Amino acid sequence: MCGIVGILGERQVAPLLLEGLKRLEYRGYDSAGIAALANGHIECRRAEGKIDRLVAKCGQLPLTGTVGIGHTRWATHGKPTEDNAHPHVTERVAVVHNGIIENYRSLREELEKKQHRFTSETDTETIAHLLTDYLDQGMTPQQATSAALKRLDGAFAIAAIFAGHKNLLIGARRGSPLAVGYGDGEMYLGSDALALAPLTNRISYLEEGDWVELHPGQAVIHDCCDKLVERKIHITSLSGAMIGKGQYRHFMLKEIFEQPAVIGDTLSSLVTPDNRIALPEMPFDWAKVPRLTIVGCGTAYYAGLVAKYWFEQLARMPVEIDIASEFRYRNAPLTEGGVTLAVSQSGETADTLGALHVAKEHGQKILTVVNVPQSSMARLSDVVVPTLAGPEIGVASTKAFTTQLTVLLCLAVSAAVARKTLSAERAAAILQALREIPAHLNLVLRDEHFIQELAQRVGEARDVLYLGRGLLYPLAMEGALKLKEISYIHAEGYPAGEMKHGPIALIDEDVPVVFLAPHDALFEKSASNIQEVSARGGKVILFSDKDGVAGIGGKADWNMALPKVDPVVSPLLYAVPVQLLAYYTALVKGTDVDQPRNLAKSVTVE
Ligand code: F6R
């Protein structure tokens, strides 16, 4: 999604803005731009495509000034062209914007009648002209901002600089996050704290409806009614170093390899060395919760789907799960005393946030598993259990997923203990199995070269099927999602038992079928499905354990024996080979692994 950085400094801001934009690249974008005040006048540079093109442009035509704003744009209204790139500029103001202005058409019509000339197809340009209109009427930048914000419908974060005001940078937030950074005399705005990590670790987060005037060394924050308010300054633990690629070729590969460590960190924050769960206190009693409703999007939804199996099997709890964008408009009846559990890496996904608002309106308690503790979802929740994955930069989610699974299994075990559906011994055994996952994952990662070889073959396919049963069914969906996201090969994930009800028609010698089939209670069922694929000339790729490979491996064209684990923790183990397969297949295809086309890291629009 779009990214914002704003700097009110003492130094030349252009290089700092470009550096900040590079840190926002991971969010996904298709054009970029910066603007600064040079001798009181607004100067702007924009470029279609990658930031390097903007850097080159700024090299040819340098931008001077000590106050400025920058933006990476992920197109919503209008094509990803230079004209549509932000900042949008008039003689008096330059604006960058994340989100959508829903009433921009009527505002634009109104402003065009007043002779404002528009040069882009975007909704954002309306904000620049609206501010200009108020400034033309004699308002100060602060008055113009306050008036303009009252006219805008939609969800957005905005940053603006004003001609003739070199000591002023204004930001506003409604529905899309915006952080204020406090430096040594310098002040910053960022759509997330990562963009500001090299500049400062002192951050405050604007609340819904807030707007802020930044002056040298000072932030004046107003709420939605223009009342002056204070927002707490947090010291973040993010550092510039945490968001480098290290010795890895891509962030995604680095993050895949970080999984043993971050699963271990997450587990240590939730379970004591003698296997007692130490979760935050829940504002409800698991024993009395009549129904759990899980919501999420994409990979986070698949983590939730695994959790459904865990909560049902271990805690005998009725669970409903839905994709957040469906749930929020489905008007589903929610049970009194019910709990809604959101799963999210960013904590800013508009659909999941929308679903939580609906659940809250219906009196549900909100429990959130999230990787960004200051995020909008975290702030909306009654209780938050953080994943300690650290910043996830690769657009395709990897370590966020496995740390989500870690937290979700701890929650399910804790609910099961409270509901007396799991013995203390079995609970301890599950936690012990979870504790051993990082070591098992290291073994899988050590054998990545096998998957690298397999990727050469998968890279030739046009379609790939992923099949799994029970706890491995959501992993089949996640494997297929990873492959299509970064290699652009069409892939589908199905419950293995469903294959004969339709997808079997696709099978021929050109369609690889990836089976995720540990030797568990459902193994014989999966073995029959493998026979069915094999009988039709399909190419079987089998991820199992040594018993599974000994049992049916002969029918597979390729197989890999993963360590044997307690079946309940198998989703954590099988996540990694499917991530590696997607990664190495993407390398074969030569795609942009960390920033795949059309995708954004944190999807803050509907
Ligand atoms: C897939 C992926 C997306 C996200 C989804 C939810 O690799 O990254 O499917 O999982 O957009 O994002 P969060 O978890 O930030 O709510």
Side-chain angles (χ1 to χ4, degrees), residues 11 133 162 166 178 263 271 278 308 342 438 565 594:
R11 303 171 273 174
D133 200 57
F162 296 82
K166 77 179 175 62
L178 195 64
I263 291 172
V271 180
K308 172 182 165 74
V565 294
D594 282 332

Side-chain angles (χ1 to χ4, degrees), residues 294-307 321-326 342-346 349-353 377 392 395-398 400-402 404-405 408 473-482 484-485 599-603:
I294 306 179
V295 290
C297 300
T299 291
Y301 167 76
Y302 297 140
L305 198 51
V306 175
I321 172 151
D322 207 350
I323 290 171
S325 55
E326 285 301 309
V343 186
S344 176
Q345 188 283 127
S346 61
T349 303
D351 289 320
T352 313
L353 204 49
M377 272 180 228
E392 190 179 65
V395 163
S397 189
T398 53
F401 178 66
T402 45
Q404 283 160 358
L405 292 179
L408 291 165
Y473 150 51
L475 266 290
M477 312 260 275
E478 169 62 1
L481 178 66
K482 286 286 94 88
K484 58 188 149 197
E485 275 184 303
L599 291 180
K601 182 66 186 160
S602 156
V603 186

